[in-house]
Amino acid sequence: MKQYILILFAFSTFSSFTLSAQNLKLNQIQVIGSHNSYKSQISPELLAFLSKVNLSASKSLEYAHIPLEEQLDLGLRNLELDVFHDPVGGRYSNPKGIEIIKSSEGNIPDYDPTNSLSKPGMKLFHVQDLDFQSHHLLFADALKALKTWSEAHPDHSPVFILINAKDDNIPGTRPTLPFTASALDSIDIEIRTHLGMDHLITPDQVKGKYADLETAVLAGNWPKMNDARGKFLFVLDENEEKTDRYLSAKPELKNAVLFVNKKEGNSTAGFRIINNPVKDEAYIRDLVKKGYMIRTRADSDTKEARMEDYSTFEKAKASGAQVISTDYYNTSTFFKSNYRVNFEENVYERSNPILIKN
């Protein structure tokens, strides 16, 4: 296994240096990353319980990830993090799912060894009370881990991180706190505090001297890869209402950490989330050619992996979307499948096939 990881790391390093040598801009690359990157394995007793309530939903939870740093070591350059607002701390302590595991006479997982859920600050997991196991329960701890990894690899190619601000209330689970404008702004504060501005690519940097972000994007004002090394770009992956709340705290994204998923034609547009490359391949390609950055998906809800179906991934690659997320940079440990997503020669980044002709 160790030899396998070293081989992948060598390929990834070679690819990174190749992209640097070409002196490409940030939007002229294509990378693969992970979806719900923090997620560790859900208890089998909880999966069994959920399968009786909703079989399809339980199957969609049958995936897990290796720690964030190990994903980056493999060469992944996109992560996705789900945060829950919890400024006082303790809101999500003692998940109700523990009682389900106990009633099934299962082994109680050591899900919170440092009592992180009792501490103030954004929490990082998938679904309150149910899918609560995470490599970092505190958003702050994940950011610190990313900073430590980055500073140990100061020449790493840029990492794109999508943020979901989760406040859905699911029947039978404890109520979440809503993401108001100030709560959304606190995501910025945690990133600034625990990762630091020196590690960030921000909307203001891309905007530069242009009138607004979209004008800069259409003019191709993304940084060159050499200038983006050692840095992270964060995107708020949210609906229009929540995005507008964030923009009320950060008008025109001035002094913002997060890019936002605004549709083209808006002054704050620049980074789009378009999840279906099969339906929207031509649409994505058109936006990429105009200068926008796009994140799409290679698979979802374990469906492609179960069928060993690469057609969505092929459309994602062909669309030119710069960021492609998957749950399967490694094969599944939950069910038998050879499905695994990477570019040729087992790498996870390359020049963009729509913008750069090799």
Side-chain angles (χ1 to χ4, degrees), residues 16-26 28-29 222-229 356:
S16 179
F17 282 133
T18 300
L19 295 179
S20 178
Q22 290 177 280
N23 203 20
L24 301 179
K25 288 191 172 184
L26 189 62
Q28 294 175 318
I29 64 171
W222 294 103
K224 291 183 177 179
M225 286 290 287
N226 287 344
D227 297 325
R229 299 180 76 77
I356 304 295

Side-chain angles (χ1 to χ4, degrees), residues 106-321:
N107 294 319
I108 305 301
D110 189 16
Y111 65 95
D112 189 9
T114 60
N115 204 26
S116 295
L117 290 174
S118 69
K119 299 173 183 176
M122 297 283 173
K123 301 306 183 293
L124 184 64
F125 53 81
H126 192 214
V127 181
Q128 66 269 28
D129 287 322
L130 298 173
D131 197 5
F132 52 83
Q133 291 184 242
S134 172
H135 289 295
H136 297 283
L137 285 168
L138 278 176
F139 183 45
D141 287 345
L143 294 169
K144 291 173 186 176
L146 293 176
K147 182 176 183 179
T148 298
W149 181 88
S150 181
E151 292 180 349
H153 306 81
D155 292 328
H156 70 81
S157 50
V159 180
F160 304 91
I161 300 184
L162 269 62
I163 299 291
N164 287 128
K166 301 191 82 169
D167 55 9
D168 292 335
N169 286 311
I170 299 169
T173 66
R174 68 195 68 195
T176 59
L177 289 177
F179 269 97
T180 61
S182 61
L184 290 164
D185 192 33
S186 67
I187 300 173
D188 273 35
I189 293 170
E190 291 212 20
I191 295 170
R192 289 172 183 270
T193 301
H194 300 296
L195 187 57
M197 292 300 295
D198 290 344
H199 288 283
L200 298 178
I201 300 167
T202 66
D204 281 337
Q205 292 170 9
V206 176
K207 176 184 172 182
K209 296 181 180 179
Y210 289 87
D212 54 53
L213 177 63
E214 185 177 50
T215 302
V217 163
L218 295 174
N221 202 44
W222 294 103
K224 291 183 177 179
M225 286 290 287
N226 287 344
D227 297 325
R229 299 180 76 77
K231 296 187 177 183
F232 298 80
L233 184 153
F234 286 80
V235 185
L236 181 63
D237 178 12
E238 278 300 341
N239 59 36
E240 187 171 1
E241 180 184 357
K242 207 174 291 183
T243 297
D244 286 344
R245 276 186 234 149
Y246 178 72
L247 288 171
S248 73
K250 291 286 190 290
E252 290 298 311
L253 294 176
K254 184 175 176 59
N255 298 321
V257 167
L258 306 175
F259 288 75
V260 293
N261 180 30
K262 270 291 186 180
K263 192 171 182 180
E264 62 277 12
N266 288 279
S267 60
T268 55
F271 199 114
R272 296 292 318 283
I273 314 297
I274 303 175
N275 286 323
N276 190 336
V278 176
K279 177 174 71 73
D280 293 319
E281 180 189 359
Y283 177 40
I284 294 171
R285 187 184 298 113
D286 180 61
L287 292 177
V288 167
K289 288 180 177 179
K290 288 177 178 176
Y292 299 93
M293 295 198 70
I294 312 294
R295 174 274 197 183
T296 194
R297 297 186 68 173
D299 44 73
S300 60
D301 299 327
T302 76
K303 293 174 183 176
E304 286 83 359
R306 293 178 190 276
M307 299 293 293
E308 297 191 10
D309 178 6
Y310 289 90
S311 60
T312 302
F313 178 46
E314 291 301 322
K315 290 290 188 180
K317 289 191 293 183
S319 73

